[in-house]
Amino acid sequence: MLKPTYAIPALPPEAEVETVPVLKALARASRALADLKGQAKTIPNQAS
C-alpha cells in the first residue's frame, strides 16, 4: 500500500477565510460561472 504524502488539515481552518478580498473574488467567480452556464446552454447536443 502507498504511504500518504500529504496530511489533510483539520476543518474548519484556523485562519479567517471570509475576508474582503475573498468575498470580492467570490462575487466575480459567481458571475463568471453564471455566464459560463449560459454559454454552455447554447452548445448543441451532439448525442441527439
Side-chain angles (χ1 to χ4, degrees):
M1 178 172 256
L2 297 175
K3 294 181 181 179
T5 58
Y6 178 73
I8 299 174
L11 293 175
E14 294 180 16
E16 183 64 36
V17 294
E18 291 183 2
T19 62
V20 173
V22 170
L23 294 175
K24 286 182 179 181
L26 177 63
R28 285 192 311 268
S30 178
R31 285 192 300 273
L33 285 172
D35 184 45
L36 181 60
K37 182 179 177 182
Q39 293 294 324
K41 288 184 178 182
T42 64
I43 300 172
N45 186 353
Q46 298 291 327
S48 57

